[in-house]
Amino acid sequence: MAKKTKKIETPIDQRETFVSIQKSFADSDLSVEEKLKTLYALQQADTEIDKILQLRGELPVEVENLENEIAELKAKSANIMTKIDDANKSIAENKLNITECDAQIEKYRSQLDNVANSREYDSLNKEIENQELLRQIAEKNINETKDAIAARKADLEDIKARVAVKNDDLKAKKQELATIVESTSREEEKLRAGRDAYAAKIDARTMSAYDRIRSSCNNHLAVVSVFNGDSCGGCFNTIPPQRLIDIASNRKMIICEYCGRILVNPDFE
Protein backbone atom coordinates (compact mmCIF):
# COMPACT_ATOMS: atom_id res chain seq x y z
CA MET A 1 0.00 0.00 0.00
CA ALA A 2 1.42 3.35 -1.06
CA LYS A 3 2.16 5.80 1.72
CA LYS A 4 0.50 9.19 1.62
CA THR A 5 2.98 11.97 1.06
CA LYS A 6 2.88 14.53 3.82
CA LYS A 7 2.66 18.12 2.65
CA ILE A 8 5.57 20.21 3.87
CA GLU A 9 4.56 23.65 5.17
CA THR A 10 7.11 26.31 4.35
CA PRO A 11 7.67 28.97 7.03
CA ILE A 12 5.75 32.22 6.61
CA ASP A 13 7.91 35.07 5.37
CA GLN A 14 6.71 38.37 6.86
CA ARG A 15 7.84 40.11 3.65
CA GLU A 16 5.44 38.08 1.51
CA THR A 17 2.85 39.86 -0.62
CA PHE A 18 -0.20 38.56 -2.45
CA VAL A 19 2.03 38.15 -5.50
CA SER A 20 4.18 35.70 -3.52
CA ILE A 21 1.22 33.50 -2.57
CA GLN A 22 -0.73 33.85 -5.83
CA LYS A 23 0.11 30.34 -7.04
CA SER A 24 -0.75 28.63 -3.75
CA PHE A 25 -3.90 30.69 -3.15
CA ALA A 26 -6.21 28.02 -4.58
CA ASP A 27 -4.67 25.34 -2.32
CA SER A 28 -7.37 25.55 0.33
CA ASP A 29 -10.53 23.86 1.61
CA LEU A 30 -12.44 26.91 0.36
CA SER A 31 -13.05 27.52 -3.32
CA VAL A 32 -11.20 30.49 -4.82
CA GLU A 33 -14.46 32.42 -5.14
CA GLU A 34 -15.41 31.75 -1.51
CA LYS A 35 -11.93 32.68 -0.36
CA LEU A 36 -12.04 35.95 -2.31
CA LYS A 37 -15.47 36.75 -0.88
CA THR A 38 -14.21 36.01 2.62
CA LEU A 39 -11.17 38.24 2.14
CA TYR A 40 -13.37 41.05 0.83
CA ALA A 41 -15.75 40.67 3.79
CA LEU A 42 -12.75 40.72 6.11
CA GLN A 43 -11.54 43.94 4.47
CA GLN A 44 -15.01 45.50 4.79
CA ALA A 45 -15.14 44.64 8.50
CA ASP A 46 -11.67 46.09 9.07
CA THR A 47 -12.64 49.25 7.18
CA GLU A 48 -15.70 49.75 9.41
CA ILE A 49 -13.57 49.16 12.54
CA ASP A 50 -11.08 51.72 11.21
CA LYS A 51 -13.90 54.25 10.89
CA ILE A 52 -14.84 53.72 14.53
CA LEU A 53 -11.21 54.12 15.64
CA GLN A 54 -10.94 57.22 13.45
CA LEU A 55 -14.03 58.64 15.19
CA ARG A 56 -12.15 58.36 18.48
CA GLY A 57 -9.28 60.17 16.80
CA GLU A 58 -6.29 61.00 18.95
CA LEU A 59 -8.27 60.86 22.19
CA PRO A 60 -6.82 57.53 23.43
CA VAL A 61 -3.27 58.79 22.80
CA GLU A 62 -4.05 62.16 24.39
CA VAL A 63 -5.49 60.45 27.48
CA GLU A 64 -2.41 58.24 27.79
CA ASN A 65 -0.06 61.23 27.35
CA LEU A 66 -1.91 63.22 30.00
CA GLU A 67 -1.77 60.30 32.43
CA ASN A 68 1.98 59.99 31.83
CA GLU A 69 2.51 63.74 32.31
CA ILE A 70 0.54 63.73 35.57
CA ALA A 71 2.51 60.72 36.80
CA GLU A 72 5.79 62.49 35.96
CA LEU A 73 4.69 65.67 37.76
CA LYS A 74 3.67 63.67 40.83
CA ALA A 75 7.02 61.87 40.82
CA LYS A 76 8.77 65.23 40.55
CA SER A 77 6.66 66.54 43.44
CA ALA A 78 7.57 63.52 45.57
CA ASN A 79 11.25 64.08 44.78
CA ILE A 80 11.00 67.73 45.87
CA MET A 81 9.26 66.69 49.10
CA THR A 82 12.13 64.30 49.81
CA LYS A 83 14.63 67.12 49.27
CA ILE A 84 12.63 69.40 51.61
CA ASP A 85 12.65 66.68 54.28
CA ASP A 86 16.42 66.32 53.88
CA ALA A 87 16.81 70.10 54.09
CA ASN A 88 14.79 70.25 57.31
CA LYS A 89 17.01 67.53 58.77
CA SER A 90 20.04 69.60 57.76
CA ILE A 91 18.59 72.65 59.56
CA ALA A 92 18.01 70.55 62.68
CA GLU A 93 21.60 69.28 62.57
CA ASN A 94 22.98 72.82 62.15
CA LYS A 95 20.85 74.05 65.06
CA LEU A 96 22.30 71.25 67.17
CA ASN A 97 25.79 72.32 66.07
CA ILE A 98 25.04 75.90 67.17
CA THR A 99 23.91 74.66 70.56
CA GLU A 100 27.10 72.64 70.93
CA CYS A 101 29.21 75.65 69.82
CA ASP A 102 27.48 77.88 72.39
CA ALA A 103 28.18 75.32 75.08
CA GLN A 104 31.85 75.11 74.09
CA ILE A 105 32.20 78.91 73.96
CA GLU A 106 30.64 79.22 77.42
CA LYS A 107 32.99 76.56 78.77
CA TYR A 108 36.12 78.20 77.31
CA ARG A 109 35.09 81.64 78.56
CA SER A 110 34.62 80.31 82.07
CA GLN A 111 38.12 78.83 81.90
CA LEU A 112 39.63 82.23 81.03
CA ASP A 113 39.22 83.33 84.65
CA ASN A 114 41.51 80.55 85.83
CA VAL A 115 44.36 80.66 83.31
CA ALA A 116 47.90 80.31 84.67
CA ASN A 117 49.78 82.02 81.83
CA SER A 118 49.37 83.98 78.61
CA ARG A 119 49.98 80.95 76.45
CA GLU A 120 46.97 79.15 77.95
CA TYR A 121 44.95 82.38 77.65
CA ASP A 122 45.75 82.68 73.92
CA SER A 123 44.93 79.02 73.37
CA LEU A 124 41.48 79.41 74.97
CA ASN A 125 40.76 82.54 72.93
CA LYS A 126 41.72 80.65 69.79
CA GLU A 127 39.26 77.87 70.66
CA ILE A 128 36.54 80.46 71.26
CA GLU A 129 37.22 82.01 67.85
CA ASN A 130 37.04 78.59 66.18
CA GLN A 131 33.72 77.80 67.84
CA GLU A 132 32.30 81.20 66.86
CA LEU A 133 33.41 80.58 63.27
CA LEU A 134 31.73 77.16 63.29
CA ARG A 135 28.60 78.80 64.70
CA GLN A 136 28.57 81.37 61.89
CA ILE A 137 28.97 78.62 59.29
CA ALA A 138 26.03 76.72 60.81
CA GLU A 139 23.87 79.87 60.79
CA LYS A 140 24.79 80.52 57.15
CA ASN A 141 23.88 76.94 56.24
CA ILE A 142 20.53 77.32 57.99
CA ASN A 143 19.70 80.53 56.12
CA GLU A 144 20.73 79.11 52.74
CA THR A 145 18.78 75.93 53.40
CA LYS A 146 15.67 77.93 54.35
CA ASP A 147 15.96 79.87 51.07
CA ALA A 148 16.26 76.57 49.17
CA ILE A 149 13.20 75.20 50.97
CA ALA A 150 11.21 78.31 50.08
CA ALA A 151 12.19 77.91 46.40
CA ARG A 152 11.24 74.24 46.42
CA LYS A 153 7.89 74.99 48.06
CA ALA A 154 7.24 77.51 45.27
CA ASP A 155 8.05 74.74 42.76
CA LEU A 156 5.61 72.45 44.58
CA GLU A 157 2.83 75.03 44.28
CA ASP A 158 3.56 75.41 40.58
CA ILE A 159 3.45 71.64 40.08
CA LYS A 160 0.24 71.42 42.11
CA ALA A 161 -1.40 74.01 39.85
CA ARG A 162 -0.19 72.22 36.69
CA VAL A 163 -1.48 68.87 37.96
CA ALA A 164 -4.87 70.43 38.71
CA VAL A 165 -5.14 71.81 35.16
CA LYS A 166 -4.04 68.52 33.59
CA ASN A 167 -6.43 66.53 35.81
CA ASP A 168 -9.33 68.70 34.60
CA ASP A 169 -8.21 68.19 31.01
CA LEU A 170 -7.82 64.45 31.56
CA LYS A 171 -11.27 64.19 33.11
CA ALA A 172 -12.84 65.99 30.14
CA LYS A 173 -11.02 63.87 27.55
CA LYS A 174 -11.83 60.63 29.39
CA GLN A 175 -15.49 61.60 29.49
CA GLU A 176 -15.46 62.46 25.79
CA LEU A 177 -13.72 59.17 24.96
CA ALA A 178 -16.11 57.18 27.17
CA THR A 179 -19.08 58.73 25.38
CA ILE A 180 -17.72 57.78 21.96
CA VAL A 181 -16.76 54.26 23.11
CA GLU A 182 -20.19 53.73 24.67
CA SER A 183 -21.97 54.82 21.49
CA THR A 184 -19.85 52.54 19.28
CA SER A 185 -19.02 49.62 21.56
CA ARG A 186 -21.86 47.34 20.42
CA GLU A 187 -21.16 48.00 16.75
CA GLU A 188 -17.43 47.49 17.26
CA GLU A 189 -18.00 44.26 19.20
CA LYS A 190 -20.23 42.93 16.40
CA LEU A 191 -17.71 43.95 13.75
CA ARG A 192 -14.79 42.37 15.58
CA ALA A 193 -16.72 39.13 16.06
CA GLY A 194 -17.45 39.04 12.32
CA ARG A 195 -13.87 39.98 11.54
CA ASP A 196 -12.55 37.10 13.68
CA ALA A 197 -14.95 34.69 11.96
CA TYR A 198 -13.73 35.73 8.51
CA ALA A 199 -10.06 35.63 9.57
CA ALA A 200 -10.52 32.09 10.94
CA LYS A 201 -11.41 30.89 7.43
CA ILE A 202 -8.24 32.32 5.87
CA ASP A 203 -4.92 30.46 6.01
CA ALA A 204 -2.07 31.95 8.01
CA ARG A 205 0.07 32.75 4.95
CA THR A 206 -2.67 34.77 3.26
CA MET A 207 -3.53 36.54 6.53
CA SER A 208 0.11 37.49 7.02
CA ALA A 209 0.23 39.06 3.55
CA TYR A 210 -3.14 40.74 4.13
CA ASP A 211 -2.03 42.31 7.42
CA ARG A 212 1.31 43.41 5.96
CA ILE A 213 -0.25 45.14 2.94
CA ARG A 214 -2.97 46.74 5.08
CA SER A 215 -0.37 48.23 7.40
CA SER A 216 1.71 49.54 4.48
CA CYS A 217 -1.17 51.40 2.78
CA ASN A 218 -2.37 54.82 3.90
CA ASN A 219 -6.01 53.83 3.41
CA HIS A 220 -5.44 50.34 4.91
CA LEU A 221 -7.06 48.64 1.91
CA ALA A 222 -5.53 45.30 0.95
CA VAL A 223 -8.55 43.92 -0.95
CA VAL A 224 -10.50 46.18 -3.31
CA SER A 225 -13.18 45.81 -5.93
CA VAL A 226 -13.02 47.13 -9.47
CA PHE A 227 -13.77 50.85 -9.52
CA ASN A 228 -15.83 52.52 -12.24
CA GLY A 229 -15.78 49.38 -14.38
CA ASP A 230 -12.08 49.34 -15.28
CA SER A 231 -9.90 50.70 -12.46
CA CYS A 232 -8.27 49.46 -9.26
CA GLY A 233 -10.28 50.52 -6.24
CA GLY A 234 -7.06 51.11 -4.32
CA CYS A 235 -4.74 53.07 -6.63
CA PHE A 236 -7.29 53.86 -9.42
CA ASN A 237 -4.97 52.77 -12.21
CA THR A 238 -6.61 51.21 -15.27
CA ILE A 239 -6.89 47.41 -15.30
CA PRO A 240 -6.13 45.57 -18.59
CA PRO A 241 -9.23 43.97 -20.27
CA GLN A 242 -7.99 40.38 -19.85
CA ARG A 243 -7.50 40.91 -16.13
CA LEU A 244 -11.03 42.31 -15.88
CA ILE A 245 -12.32 39.07 -17.40
CA ASP A 246 -10.26 37.03 -14.90
CA ILE A 247 -11.60 39.11 -12.00
CA ALA A 248 -15.18 38.61 -13.15
CA SER A 249 -14.65 34.82 -13.37
CA ASN A 250 -13.83 34.55 -9.61
CA ARG A 251 -11.55 31.61 -10.43
CA LYS A 252 -8.15 33.02 -9.50
CA MET A 253 -6.46 35.67 -7.41
CA ILE A 254 -5.81 38.78 -9.47
CA ILE A 255 -3.28 41.31 -8.17
CA CYS A 256 -3.09 44.95 -9.21
CA GLU A 257 0.19 45.30 -11.07
CA TYR A 258 0.62 48.84 -9.74
CA CYS A 259 -0.17 48.65 -6.00
CA GLY A 260 -0.14 44.90 -5.21
CA ARG A 261 -3.68 44.73 -3.81
CA ILE A 262 -6.12 41.89 -4.45
CA LEU A 263 -8.76 42.87 -7.02
CA VAL A 264 -12.21 41.31 -6.61
CA ASN A 265 -15.44 41.27 -8.54
CA PRO A 266 -17.54 44.43 -7.92
CA ASP A 267 -20.54 42.12 -7.58
CA PHE A 268 -19.17 41.20 -4.11
CA GLU A 269 -20.34 44.56 -2.91
Side-chain angles (χ1 to χ4, degrees):
M1 183 176 179
K3 292 183 179 180
K4 291 184 178 180
T5 56
K6 186 178 180 181
K7 183 181 176 181
I8 299 174
E9 295 287 343
T10 56
I12 296 174
D13 187 344
Q14 296 302 321
R15 296 168 297 178
E16 279 185 328
T17 63
F18 291 134
V19 176
S20 307
I21 62 173
Q22 199 169 12
K23 290 183 179 179
S24 61
F25 185 74
D27 189 11
S28 170
D29 293 336
L30 295 176
S31 66
V32 171
E33 181 176 356
E34 189 63 28
K35 201 169 183 179
L36 289 170
K37 284 182 177 180
T38 302
L39 272 171
Y40 187 68
L42 173 65
Q43 176 66 78
Q44 294 300 99
D46 277 335
T47 298
E48 292 303 313
I49 292 171
D50 287 343
K51 288 179 182 178
I52 291 175
L53 297 180
Q54 189 176 13
L55 181 63
R56 296 172 189 170
E58 297 296 322
L59 278 174
V61 176
E62 290 175 3
V63 166
E64 184 180 0
N65 288 341
L66 279 170
E67 288 175 338
N68 290 337
E69 288 174 17
I70 290 171
E72 288 174 4
L73 287 171
K74 287 183 176 179
K76 188 175 181 180
S77 178
N79 185 46
I80 291 174
M81 287 297 298
T82 300
K83 289 181 177 179
I84 289 175
D85 289 340
D86 292 340
N88 282 324
K89 290 177 183 178
S90 176
I91 288 174
E93 290 174 0
N94 279 289
K95 285 182 176 181
L96 181 61
N97 290 340
I98 289 174
T99 300
E100 292 175 352
C101 287
D102 287 341
Q104 288 292 97
I105 290 170
E106 184 64 29
K107 184 184 75 171
Y108 293 139
R109 282 178 177 169
S110 65
Q111 290 177 0
L112 286 173
D113 297 331
N114 301 311
V115 294
N117 51 58
S118 60
R119 182 178 178 181
E120 187 177 349
Y121 181 86
D122 291 340
S123 177
L124 287 171
N125 275 322
K126 187 64 176 178
E127 289 296 336
I128 291 171
E129 288 177 7
N130 289 338
Q131 291 301 318
E132 287 177 342
L133 181 60
L134 291 173
R135 193 183 193 284
Q136 290 173 7
I137 293 172
E139 287 178 342
K140 181 183 178 182
N141 288 339
I142 288 173
N143 292 331
E144 289 177 350
T145 304
K146 284 182 176 179
D147 290 341
I149 288 174
R152 289 193 173 108
K153 285 184 176 180
D155 290 340
L156 279 178
E157 289 301 315
D158 178 60
I159 290 174
K160 184 178 178 181
R162 289 166 64 189
V163 168
V165 170
K166 290 187 181 295
N167 272 328
D168 289 342
D169 196 12
L170 177 62
K171 182 179 179 181
K173 288 189 182 297
K174 276 187 171 181
Q175 187 173 355
E176 184 181 356
L177 180 59
T179 301
I180 295 173
V181 170
E182 184 179 0
S183 66
T184 58
S185 59
R186 289 184 180 179
E187 182 183 0
E188 183 182 2
E189 185 178 350
K190 182 179 178 181
L191 285 168
R192 290 194 181 278
R195 197 256 182 213
D196 292 342
Y198 297 136
K201 295 180 181 180
I202 306 298
D203 63 275
R205 187 175 298 281
T206 304
M207 277 301 302
S208 176
Y210 170 83
D211 289 334
R212 198 193 71 78
I213 292 175
R214 243 179 69 79
S215 63
S216 66
C217 298
N218 291 331
N219 57 10
H220 303 303
L221 296 176
V223 183
V224 295
S225 64
V226 176
F227 175 75
N228 203 26
D230 65 350
S231 301
C232 170
C235 66
F236 305 108
N237 280 296
T238 302
I239 304 168
Q242 182 56 49
R243 283 179 173 265
L244 288 172
I245 295 172
D246 290 336
I247 293 168
S249 72
N250 301 323
R251 292 180 180 176
K252 62 170 107 172
M253 177 195 284
I254 304 300
I255 310 299
C256 176
E257 60 187 16
Y258 299 100
C259 66
R261 295 177 172 94
I262 289 182
L263 294 166
V264 297
N265 195 323
D267 292 345
F268 289 0
E269 297 180 8

